[in-house]
Amino acid sequence: MSATELDAAGVTDPALRDAYAQCRGLNAAHGRTYFLATRLLAPAQRPAIHALYGFARMADDVVDDPAADASPAAVAARLEEVRTRMRRGLAGTDPRELVAEGEPVVAALADTVARYGIDHRHLEDFMDSMAMDLTVTDYPTFDDLARYVHGSAAVIGLQVLPVLGTVVPREEAAPYAADLGVAFQVTNFLRDVGEDLDRGRVYLPRDELAAFGVDRDLLAHGRANGRTDPRVRRALAHLVARTRAVYRRAERGIALLHPVSRPCVRTAHVLYGGILDEIVAADYDVLARRVAVGSGRRAAVALPRLAHAVGTRWRHRVAGSAA
């Protein structure tokens, strides 16, 4: 993370600056689309977004990438340790003390939450959903999935909203921020059907799949032989269309954000929505491979918005100087 970003964010303590830099590294390594969109934010906003991402990544990795010999009980205990450390940080433990104890991600998270007044409930809800991944392997309906998606996705939108800023009361923009988080998450579910099966999970609701003659066994068969059954393609086409509707609903909230934040969120909206385009272009073959938006398309979407973002920040600086 550049000194410019940390200076702009008012992060002066050397240990805390290093903690934020480690979070940035996690974002850059694991969240290519998300990281690219983050580059469109004002420098002062970026460290907070990296901290929120870094903590989410850390908790998610405990669940999805445990040690090969770790028992379910050991993974659950490890996740509870993360929650305990999170609560300690949110309770006001000096971030420098957390860094000294080897908790840089928690330190950056706690500093961000305090700076922006982020509701602790959003972090607790997130951890609840991570815990669900240890025991729940599928969901009968979208209503059953709703609790998980609230904690794993909707609250991410609610966490970042104070960082992005709004031109209306925050509670007015909150439902759209939550919807965008859900759209991103369901997009991941559709892209990662094969990988999730390998982990013993199916996030796509059973009743939605059953309407097209699809069940877990048919998905597992396709994963094993690298072929996607026509029934699976039809089910995925239905779910892609349903997810596009969530994107359209969430898009209405972009205009409610602070102008400086809009290019970032619009870019994320377009690029993540582009994953759905890639799924369609691949004829819904998500069992044998993982589709992704190519680097050329990412650049084509992001670069014009980068110019717009820079111009918007400049205009707001000028307006602030003149005020």
Side-chain angles (χ1 to χ4, degrees), residues 274-288:
I275 295 173
L276 297 181
D277 296 335
E278 295 298 326
I279 291 172
V280 174
D283 198 20
Y284 305 99
D285 183 14
V286 295
L287 292 173

Side-chain angles (χ1 to χ4, degrees), residues 12 26 33 42 49 93 95 105 134 160 230 290 294 298 304:
T12 58
L26 288 171
T33 297
I49 299 298
T93 302
V105 174
L134 301 179
V160 303
R290 191 177 197 261
R298 289 200 301 270

Side-chain angles (χ1 to χ4, degrees), residues 20-158:
Y20 274 106
Q22 292 190 48
C23 292
R24 182 187 188 279
L26 288 171
N27 196 347
H30 299 288
R32 290 180 300 173
T33 297
Y34 193 76
F35 181 76
L36 178 60
T38 301
R39 301 301 298 161
L40 303 180
L41 290 173
Q45 296 171 299
R46 296 173 199 163
I49 299 298
H50 294 320
L52 293 169
Y53 180 93
F55 179 76
R57 184 75 203 189
M58 182 178 73
D60 191 61
D61 283 349
V62 170
V63 175
D64 284 346
D65 295 303
D69 58 349
S71 67
V75 176
R78 172 64 176 154
L79 187 64
E80 192 58 29
E81 288 175 10
V82 173
R83 189 195 291 265
T84 298
R85 299 200 314 267
M86 176 196 80
R87 286 175 172 169
R88 184 164 174 261
L90 299 183
T93 302
D94 189 329
R96 291 169 296 184
E97 184 178 336
L98 293 169
V99 171
E101 294 172 357
E103 299 288 355
V105 174
V106 174
L109 173 75
D111 185 66
T112 289
V113 168
R115 285 174 184 268
Y116 288 94
I118 296 170
D119 193 330
H120 294 188
R121 182 184 72 251
H122 300 327
L123 280 303
E124 293 287 354
D125 288 348
F126 172 75
M127 293 303 297
D128 287 345
S129 285
M130 294 301 97
M132 289 175 68
D133 271 334
L134 301 179
T135 58
V136 181
T137 60
D138 65 4
Y139 296 87
T141 69
F142 263 116
D143 286 343
D144 295 302
L145 183 63
R147 180 189 167 203
Y148 175 81
V149 172
H150 170 75
S152 67
V155 299
I156 303 299
L158 298 175

Side-chain angles (χ1 to χ4, degrees), residues 243-280:
T243 306
R244 289 194 195 280
V246 183
Y247 275 102
R248 288 193 295 272
R249 189 165 66 240
E251 186 177 15
R252 296 197 292 268
I254 296 176
L256 307 182
L257 300 175
H258 190 286
V260 167
S261 299
R262 291 173 195 165
C264 166
V265 177
R266 188 166 295 281
T267 297
H269 182 280
V270 172
L271 289 179
Y272 248 91
I275 295 173
L276 297 181
D277 296 335
E278 295 298 326
I279 291 172
V280 174

Side-chain angles (χ1 to χ4, degrees), residues 220-235:
H221 180 70
R223 178 65 168 171
N225 64 25
R227 299 174 63 183
T228 301
D229 187 280
R231 291 168 289 180
V232 174
R233 296 183 196 277
R234 289 192 291 271

